[in-house]
Amino acid sequence: MLIRIRRGWELPESAATPESVVLGRRAALGGALGAGAAVAGLAGPAWAQVAAPAMRNPRFQPGREVTPERDATSYNNYYEFGTSKTVTPAANRLKVAPWTIKFDGLVAQPRELGLEDLLKQVNLEERVLRHRCVEAWAMTVPWTGFPMSELVRLAQPRPEAKFVVFETAAQRDTMPGLRQAWYPWPYSDGCSVAEARNEMAFIATGMYGKPLPPQNGAPIRALFPWKYGFKAPKSIVRVTFQAEQPVGYWEKLQASEYGFWANVNPEVAHPRWSQASERLLGSNERVPTRIYNGYGEFVAPLYANMQNERIWY
Ligand SMILES: Nc1nc2c(c(=O)[nH]1)N[C@H]1C(S)=C(S)[C@@H](COP(=O)(O)O)O[C@H]1N2
Ligand SMILES: [Mo]
């Protein structure tokens, strides 16, 4: 088992919602993994047992109801498995074991890390975060994972590295979308090293107290809760550090509509639709969109000297 260093807020008496953690753990053991198999270590890849759940970090309060799990896990964007929102049946074919992640580019030492190995070197926590797709739908999800800054620490980038690229899985035999050769596979996107070190940048390995399901980016994905969702690559296989600003999948496809920074702003419309409000998955309620998706107190300083640049889409 994993030996973890507990942080102050992880002590049981300071836990925001201890019952949800207990219930999440029970659900994961009894449901996703199967109690007997989990104990015997027979249920899927070994890392699945350490990918979720974890104690909730109370620093990030969503201010919204958590989206019902069935909605967040059945309405997805995962183009490798098709361009509809219903990709779960196709995504179930994703091969998630063994899973390794390559670290390369401007790093002290390029290397490959097995997911299990990687998870032994980080502290998992649960964060309830708002997610805002550029298409103007939104969800609020309890993710399990670890701060992206820990991934940066493990990668040991050199000082010249200014940007990070997350490349995602391209499995010819399981992903029918790859046959659509006009899309710039593999899906990838990136951020600045400063953004990757910001405390809001997160790497998720689970949701709702269970390992990530394939359609939501199993076994490991990025989350930038203050940016539009296309900046959050799923099923990451490679993390590259470089000096030049990268061009992501959507910017390659349509640079006039999707740029690099893509921070959420209700006042800057997409060229084809307004970004002023968003539809909540589950309830279908429409609510006003917030600048930086409501995370400005954490991330606005990153852009203090960039207000004349294209940081909003
Ligand atoms: N590899 C990959 N990652 C991806 C996508 C994709 O098509 N392929 N879609 C992105 C978009 S547009 C969004 S909104 C989110 C959706 O995440 P979800 O399905 O977990 O809600 O994943 C992002 N990451
Ligand atoms: Mo999206």
Side-chain angles (χ1 to χ4, degrees):
M1 252 333 260
L2 191 57
I3 296 162
R4 305 172 62 246
I5 300 159
R6 288 201 174 275
R7 298 174 186 163
W9 50 260
E10 292 179 308
L11 296 172
E13 59 273 22
S14 69
T17 51
E19 59 289 333
S20 76
V21 171
V22 172
L23 288 173
R25 190 174 301 275
R26 215 179 275 141
L29 290 177
L33 301 176
V39 170
L42 296 172
W47 52 255
Q49 289 162 57
V50 290
M55 291 290 279
R56 185 167 293 184
N57 184 341
R59 188 163 156 74
F60 310 103
Q61 294 296 328
R64 283 182 188 169
E65 294 286 307
V66 166
T67 301
E69 181 179 349
R70 66 174 177 281
D71 295 295
T73 56
S74 65
Y75 185 90
N76 300 97
N77 276 331
Y78 201 156
Y79 274 34
E80 290 86 333
F81 293 106
T83 53
S84 86
K85 296 291 187 252
T86 307
V87 294
T88 302
N92 276 329
R93 297 190 59 211
L94 179 73
K95 280 200 298 266
V96 294
W99 197 274
T100 57
I101 300 175
K102 189 188 284 181
F103 294 88
D104 64 2
L106 301 173
V107 293
Q109 180 74 60
R111 61 171 171 159
E112 229 172 90
L113 257 183
L115 183 58
E116 202 181 343
D117 221 20
L118 172 73
L119 289 178
K120 282 181 191 147
Q121 299 176 58
V122 297
N123 293 301
L124 291 188
E125 62 183 60
E126 183 176 78
R127 286 190 189 187
V128 186
L129 299 171
R130 297 181 296 274
H131 172 98
R132 171 55 156 88
C133 174
V134 74
E135 298 162 332
W137 54 266
M139 61 182 185
T140 305
V141 169
W143 303 97
T144 307
F146 55 92
M148 194 177 285
S149 60
E150 294 195 36
L151 197 77
V152 176
R153 173 180 56 81
L154 288 174
Q156 294 183 268
R158 301 213 295 258
E160 319 87 85
K162 296 288 177 262
F163 296 92
V164 192
V165 184
F166 298 97
E167 186 180 301
T168 75
Q171 298 178 353
R172 297 250 146 232
D173 46 340
T174 70
M175 297 174 156
L178 301 197
R179 283 181 238 138
Q180 302 186 303
W182 55 91
Y183 285 115
W185 312 112
Y187 193 104
S188 78
D189 213 322
C191 66
S192 69
V193 172
E195 289 176 323
R197 289 193 165 119
N198 183 275
E199 67 171 318
M200 281 315 302
F202 201 60
I203 297 288
T205 54
M207 66 197 297
Y208 298 93
K210 296 170 234 176
L212 281 180
Q215 66 273 21
N216 292 92
I220 185 166
R221 73 176 297 177
L223 293 168
F224 299 94
W226 69 99
K227 294 177 180 284
Y228 292 113
F230 69 87
K231 296 292 299 181
K234 295 173 163 180
S235 310
I236 295 166
V237 294
R238 181 178 177 195
V239 182
T240 304
F241 287 80
Q242 58 189 50
E244 319 76 44
Q245 183 174 309
V247 182
Y249 178 90
W250 283 100
E251 191 176 356
K252 281 178 196 152
L253 265 176
Q254 195 62 273
S256 59
E257 300 189 355
Y258 310 101
F260 177 72
W261 300 99
N263 297 306
V264 175
N265 187 339
E267 290 174 6
V268 179
H270 182 277
R272 290 182 282 130
W273 58 83
S274 163
Q275 295 291 22
S277 68
E278 60 208 51
R279 177 177 68 86
L280 301 181
L281 294 191
S283 69
N284 282 333
E285 189 191 341
R286 275 206 98 80
V287 299
T289 288
R290 295 163 68 192
I291 191 157
Y292 294 115
N293 201 21
Y295 295 112
E297 62 172 301
F298 302 103
V299 301
L302 286 167
Y303 312 101
N305 301 315
M306 296 178 58
Q307 295 301 312
N308 296 323
E309 290 183 49
R310 182 183 159 179
I311 60 173
W312 302 118
Y313 69 104

